[in-house]
Amino acid sequence: MRESTLSLKERQRQQREQLILHASEEILLEKGYHEMCMDEVAARVGIAKGTLYLHFSRKEDLVLALLELQMQAILLNVQEAVSAPGSVRSRLETLLATSYMRLKGEHGRLFYALFGAVELRPLLRSRHHALLDQLLSSLEVLLNEGKASGEFDPAIPTTIMLHTFSSLLASYPFKRLLLEETVTPEELVQYVGKIFFRGVANPQRAYVESLA
Amino acid sequence: MRESTLSLKERQRQQREQLILHASEEILLEKGYHEMCMDEVAARVGIAKGTLYLHFSRKEDLVLALLELQMQAILLNVQEAVSAPGSVRSRLETLLATSYMRLKGEHGRLFYALFGAVELRPLLRSRHHALLDQLLSSLEVLLNEGKASGEFDPAIPTTIMLHTFSSLLASYPFKRLLLEETVTPEELVQYVGKIFFRGVANPQRAYVESLA
Amino acid sequence: MRESTLSLKERQRQQREQLILHASEEILLEKGYHEMCMDEVAARVGIAKGTLYLHFSRKEDLVLALLELQMQAILLNVQEAVSAPGSVRSRLETLLATSYMRLKGEHGRLFYALFGAVELRPLLRSRHHALLDQLLSSLEVLLNEGKASGEFDPAIPTTIMLHTFSSLLASYPFKRLLLEETVTPEELVQYVGKIFFRGVANPQRAYVESLA
Amino acid sequence: MRESTLSLKERQRQQREQLILHASEEILLEKGYHEMCMDEVAARVGIAKGTLYLHFSRKEDLVLALLELQMQAILLNVQEAVSAPGSVRSRLETLLATSYMRLKGEHGRLFYALFGAVELRPLLRSRHHALLDQLLSSLEVLLNEGKASGEFDPAIPTTIMLHTFSSLLASYPFKRLLLEETVTPEELVQYVGKIFFRGVANPQRAYVESLA
DNA sequence: AATGAATGAGGGTTCATTCAT
DNA sequence: TATGAATGAACCCTCATTCAT
């Protein structure tokens, strides 16, 4: 009985926290970090300002929590994609697909709202550099695998491949394209994949393939 | 006499405006839009705050002017590159080179400082969309030229090519790479060019070339 | 049965009240009235904040209760000293001794923590003026007794004697001296007693004594 | 012209600063440090809140400035009294007189308002301990002089004399007495002086005097 | 034209007190 | 009875913008 009571309270608490996070994200997307004010978050959730501070003791904590959630989700996506079966190309394309879906949805836009707040940078760096690095190294492993299997051109430094790929993974131009619905995420994956994988393909193997 | 007096005054005015813009850019890069305060701009230029407002009647106007300058410079670069002689590829590579130099320098970083201020977005849009569009159409012309000459793959929609190229033109991952001096702008141009142009190359012609 | 149950509960209640008062005093001494917050009191006692309000319905009441206890204790001391056998001087010296011990201990410092909170003054006045007055009149009786017995100089108004004595009874300079352990309470009683009693001594009697 | 303009502005500034300090002192006396709010200070002076911050950049600075003024004035009084001609007793009585006048006036009460704010203590200590120490050593010099000249009892430690005197110099009981106008400052000086100087008088010399 | 003092709205955060469970 | 989540008023401080000189 008591247990269920506690977990009910706890569940309500979690629920409210979700509402707060949701409202914050909304406002963040509309107005950015500075323009978002705690009064409005509270008002939009329908709670008092003080209540907000029972969940997040600083404005920073609120957006950091939001970001943490996003990054965890992304990292999870990356890890799933990376450890999936199939060719390196297909796995990277899965990543592109995930990212473009995200870019189109609200979550993806959050990053753009937050990365702009220069004063958050120190916080973002100190708490999330690790995550970003992890993300990049996962990709790196995959790209090296592609090189080892002869799929990718060994003449192109992995660093460059890596950063080129991540430039294509989350870019402002693509975000606009997707939001304007000029292309679907699927089309984008198809064409960007085509360009990138042709671009990094091992010419040797291409030659062999062209013979086939 | 009067004219020369006026033009002297005018010249001084212009000079001071430059100083203001320069100081603003500095602070903007250091602290971002919100952290930059008008007192500090005035102090750094060595004028009174009121005087600032004789040049720019809003904080927004100040940064917008800065951005305008940047965009004009970029547009000029683009137009020069576009109308230069040579192959489409070489002209686009010139663009990449210009952009990567910029990314490495202070000017390039300005965009990141400004794009983050979400509340500037409406302004940026309303006043600069035109410029961005102009930039994109210049590139589009070039890409279409490449397609027409058989250099680029007609199977890839120009829009996609265009946005892929602009994703590679100014991306956060590349900015980091350049700032950390992991690669030189020249290397980056070389490899990114390689990837992109192989990626969008006309397979037909590649076949012809491979026959050659 | 019921009675003993009630009285058990009541005893527990009293006990908790003591704990609350104790914790409050601790915090009050550490941080002063404003810095003391109800959350911390509750936390230090190990009860919920709501429970605090079952005992003291305002923060003010809490510290007032504390003060009341102190004043009762002081009054008791004064009354004991006043009604003790011995010379007026010896009885007043007992009072000095008690006060200096208190000044050195935690309880004495409480007054300084509270008297500073100017907003408590109205409360202190309205509820404790009576007590202070009682204290002063007890002393006054004693001093008048000293005058009547020829021990004290009748030329010095009793009011002045009284307030001079109470200035020496509890003073900030002495508090510091005692806390820094520059002197012991005993030494202080000895010397301050010497100064005060010589100061108020009846010169007539001193003459007589000097003849003796 | 220009000079007079500047000094006019400067004079206005100083004047306003005085108004601010005066208003703050008033409120401080009425409500104490915590209850005093910057809005009210501004309102009472008749300026905007922001203007306040052009003069004092923190609430703390405001009250510290007030205190500094007081302490400087007190120190000046002490130094004047100490270096005046006349007997040690007459010089110390001048000090008592000055202090009791102050205690009766608004300024004297300020100390009581401020010393209570426990959180100001660190500031008070770090910035004013030096002044207090200077004050105490000035007094100490004087008392030692009195001892050397045979005026004071060498058997009483100077430290005790010093702190006894300062207990009588500024005490809460005397403040009340003076405010209630039960006694005049002059009477108080006369009687307290009598008590103190009899109390610390050299018995040897008293004996000699009694012979005379 | 240049100044810089004055303005005042606005925002983050705290905490005594209440009240549903 | 005991709890502790919820409340919201209050407060300090910042800074873009104005305007009298």
Side-chain angles (χ1 to χ4, degrees), chain B residues 16 48-51 54:
Chain B
R16 191 160 47 195
K49 210 176 1 171
T51 311
L54 296 178

Side-chain angles (χ1 to χ4, degrees), chain A residues 16 47-51 54:
Chain A
R16 173 121 57 169
I47 58 177
K49 208 176 357 171
T51 310
L54 295 179

Side-chain angles (χ1 to χ4, degrees), chain C residues 1-206:
Chain C
M1 284 300 121
R2 183 150 264 265
E3 263 182 23
S4 83
T5 303
L6 276 179
S7 82
L8 171 63
K9 272 198 173 180
E10 184 53 27
R11 225 176 312 132
Q12 287 181 331
R13 191 188 149 78
Q14 299 276 348
Q15 238 168 53
R16 190 160 48 195
E17 200 148 305
Q18 289 308 313
L19 289 178
I20 293 172
L21 288 169
H22 185 72
S24 306
E25 188 174 358
E26 241 178 51
I27 302 177
L28 228 29
L29 289 169
E30 286 168 27
K31 316 191 169 182
Y33 178 68
H34 278 98
E35 240 57 18
M36 159 178 140
C37 83
M38 298 303 264
D39 286 79
E40 192 180 351
V41 176
R44 219 178 272 203
V45 178
I47 58 176
K49 208 174 3 170
T51 311
L52 222 51
Y53 280 86
L54 297 177
H55 290 264
F56 302 95
S57 59
R58 320 210 133 254
K59 189 185 177 187
E60 280 170 353
D61 293 349
L62 180 51
V63 308
L64 251 22
L66 218 38
L67 202 61
E68 194 99 35
L69 283 176
Q70 295 284 314
M71 300 216 58
Q72 295 294 356
I74 289 174
L75 206 55
L76 196 64
N77 280 158
V78 172
Q79 282 163 345
E80 277 174 7
V82 161
S83 56
S87 69
V88 171
R89 174 170 180 165
S90 73
R91 282 180 278 166
L92 288 172
E93 279 181 347
T94 304
L95 270 177
L96 287 181
T98 315
S99 176
Y100 295 158
M101 290 304 298
R102 192 182 293 281
L103 229 48
K104 204 183 154 118
E106 292 210 323
H107 291 313
R109 277 173 264 157
L110 184 62
F111 280 88
Y112 291 91
L114 290 180
F115 271 103
V118 181
E119 70 277 24
L120 287 179
R121 294 270 169 92
L123 287 168
L124 298 182
R125 288 217 201 293
S126 66
R127 296 178 63 166
H128 298 282
H129 241 194
L131 273 169
L132 276 169
D133 287 347
Q134 206 177 332
L135 195 153
L136 287 174
S137 22
S138 294
L139 286 177
E140 199 173 7
V141 166
L142 213 51
L143 291 171
N144 278 328
E145 196 182 319
K147 271 189 176 176
S149 72
E151 202 174 340
F152 298 157
D153 187 347
I156 301 173
T158 309
T159 312
I160 304 256
M161 261 188 214
L162 174 61
H163 285 84
T164 300
F165 187 77
S166 58
S167 295
L168 298 176
L169 200 54
S171 87
Y172 187 68
F174 288 159
K175 192 186 74 158
R176 280 187 61 194
L177 223 46
L178 289 164
L179 285 180
E180 289 165 2
E181 311 215 315
T182 311
V183 294
T184 63
E186 291 76 22
E187 287 168 335
L188 200 58
V189 171
Q190 182 196 336
Y191 288 116
V192 172
K194 197 173 191 176
I195 296 174
F196 180 74
F197 292 109
R198 269 195 202 164
V200 298
N202 190 341
Q204 204 57 35
R205 174 149 157 185

Side-chain angles (χ1 to χ4, degrees), chain D residues 18-41:
Chain D
Q18 288 308 314
L19 289 178
I20 294 173
L21 287 169
H22 185 71
S24 307
E25 190 174 356
E26 238 177 55
I27 302 177
L28 228 29
L29 288 170
E30 286 168 26
K31 315 189 169 186
Y33 178 69
H34 277 97
E35 242 55 20
M36 158 178 141
C37 86
M38 297 304 263
D39 286 78
E40 189 180 354
V41 176

